[in-house]
Amino acid sequence: MIWQILREAWVSISAYKMRSFLTMLGIVIGVAAVVLMVAAGQTVQNEITKTFDSMGTNLIIIAPAETVSGGVRGGRGRPSVTFDDVAALRELPDVETASYVISTAAQAVYGANNYGVSIYGTTPEYLKVGNWEIEDGMSFTEKDLKSGKPYAIIGQTVVDELFGLQNPIGKTLRLRGKPFTVIGVLKSKGDNLMGNDQDNIVMMPATTVRQRLKGSNRPQYADIAFIKVTQEDRMESVSNRAEFLLRQRHRLKEKAPNDFSLHLMTEMVEKVRQIGFILSMLLAAIASISLVVGSIGIMNMMLVSVTERTREIGTRKALGAPNKWIMLQFLSESILISFIGSFFGMILGVLLSQIGGALYEIDVPISIWSVIISASVAIIVGILSGMMPARKAMKLDPIEALRYQ
Amino acid sequence: MTQIVIRIEDLCKTYFMEGGTKQDVLKHVQFKIQKDEFVAIMGHSGSGKSTLMNILGCLDRPTSGNYFLEGKNIAQATDKELAIIRGKRIGFVFQNFNLMMKRSLADNVSLPLIYQGVGQKERYKKAVELLEKVGLKGYENRLPTQISGGMQQRVAIARSLVNNPAIIFADEPTGNLDTRTSVEIMNLFTELNKQGITIVLVTHEEDIADFAKRLIVIQDGQISYDGPREDYKT
Ligand SMILES: Nc1ncnc2c1ncn2[C@@H]1O[C@H](COP(=O)(O)OP(=O)(O)OP(=O)(O)O)[C@@H](O)[C@H]1O
Ligand SMILES: [Mg+2]
């Protein structure tokens, strides 16, 4: 019986081609929008994960404490972690390594070229902490750090902007008029999530930055420090030990607040992922408004159809159609429309998301969600929007329906 | 032995209208119709002919009284039971044909069989067969819009035959046709009647009623004449 009903439904739909097509289009657009938005959301989440992976997730970041005055949060306090603090942290159990950064920025000059760059004064361990690799040349050493050698390791962008096709190794670039010898080139990392170019970087020994670029009356203090933990499940314990150690070294009284703040990268990753997830749900919710509009379209078409075909319904009933059959036939029509619409909407959505991904050179996942969404839309929308018209058809009195002009 | 197809006893139909007024449209009507009969029902407009036909055709129920169709009292059957009876035992021919204009003649003719669970191929075969029987051989894939009114009514007659009904009801089947076409349709009915199909039709026209063997005249909801056609004098 179900095949007979579906066949009748199909023949009826195809009898009104233009109208059925336009109604389907509403669902096509709605499903395509939802699939597209879900793909966009997933892409954002994937990119977030990728960015964090490129930084390494087993990181504890030690920043200056937030200043609190009168209960109001201010900005960051002044740096409170010293180079020696970091050396001590490095010796804690489960710590793979630790490093720190003094950051500044300047215009880098080579020959006639110049370019604004970020400068990281750091230790040789920073490469490991930040998941950086040397592509060409070499890193500076502990010895270079001690003696404050004017050595620089530069990112791909700096290479491109200053040296073009020349080999930068051994060349001298100038920052604030002072010369630095390029000894290494970093492997490219590309943009981070915020669109910042991670390759626009010049790394050098922290001591060198202090002496030549960013002097301070407290030269032994780092702007920010990093601990790389061996395993993710040790993050908590290392964080606790680090806090204890730093309080001890800073001679803080029992009730005094920390003069530094610890941030677990794993927690930050989790937070950002959650935001990404909420964002993608929000996008999908907005897109599904178009689905609602589409299903109203189906309902409207079905109501018109029932009215137009009142005589047909009366005839069918007179010729022995059970009420249930009439209802199922009209319900099948709306389900069929939403089913076909959803199918093509899914294809369109996947296609558009792949084209978008290709244009922006991002991997866009084709997820099982698009299939799940379209299949459930097909059934739910079909039933919801077909129910009322189908019941209306079912309840028609055959005598009155046959008299209908 | 003759077989009684329809027997109605003391049949009444009252319409209750909004505002509490009621109208007795059929008042204690009774008659029998035997197999192979060809009955014409006549009467003035508003006399209750269509109301009677709707009850006989199981589209409606009497307010009181009994209706035996092939021996079974169906005066108070449910909608579902009535739908089954219509599908299996009754054929309809309407004044305005009531064909599905966007469907082929074969689809139209075989429509009632869908509800009997007959498969597509079988239905098509039956439709071709019946279209030939009503003189529309080779028309199975045409649309109703491509043929004349008389032909459309033939299609409707073919459709009424498709479920091998006990009886065919036709409420003013020639009402929308010109005289010549009407005669053709009536000849077709006569032919079918000769083949043993019971026919009950409603008409306004004396000439049409002439094709029937028996005449029932309704006046104001009551039977004023019931007998051989030729014995009736206006
Ligand atoms: N659904 C209904 N509700 C109320 N009154 C009705 C209804 N159907 C018919 N009637 C009334 O019943 C009476 C008989 O109607 P019916 O249609 O049976 O007449 P008829 O003999 O077929 O007339 P005609 O020759 O014009 O077709 C009319 O007065 C009509 O107004
Ligand atoms: Mg009438």
Side-chain angles (χ1 to χ4, degrees), chain B residues 37-95:
Chain B
E37 275 202 273
F38 190 162
V39 184
I41 299 176
M42 294 191 79
H44 294 297
S45 185
S47 56
K49 305 181 296 293
S50 293
T51 305
L52 178 62
M53 287 290 268
N54 287 338
I55 293 171
L56 294 178
C58 296
L59 288 165
D60 201 359
R61 275 178 291 259
T63 311
S64 66
N66 290 321
Y67 174 16
F68 295 90
L69 181 71
E70 298 187 300
K72 200 176 151 228
N73 192 349
I74 55 164
Q76 301 307 326
T78 62
D79 283 353
K80 202 173 160 184
E81 288 164 344
L82 290 181
I84 292 170
I85 294 166
R86 289 197 301 270
K88 289 192 193 304
R89 305 307 300 150
I90 290 171
F92 283 104
V93 176
F94 306 97
Q95 176 173 357

Side-chain angles (χ1 to χ4, degrees), chain A residues 38-87:
Chain A
V38 168
Q42 281 196 329
T43 307
V44 169
Q45 274 176 286
N46 284 357
E47 292 299 305
I48 291 170
T49 310
K50 245 193 257 168
T51 304
F52 281 119
D53 283 349
S54 77
M55 288 157 63
T57 42
N58 294 353
L59 279 186
I60 297 172
I61 299 159
I62 308 167
E66 285 176 345
T67 55
V68 181
S69 59
V72 181
R73 277 193 188 188
R76 292 276 170 194
R78 60 177 188 166
S80 61
V81 177
T82 67
F83 298 169
D84 289 344
D85 285 343
V86 175

Side-chain angles (χ1 to χ4, degrees), chain B residues 49-51 171-172 202 204:
Chain B
K49 305 181 296 293
S50 293
T51 305
D171 194 345
E172 302 193 34
V202 167
H204 273 119

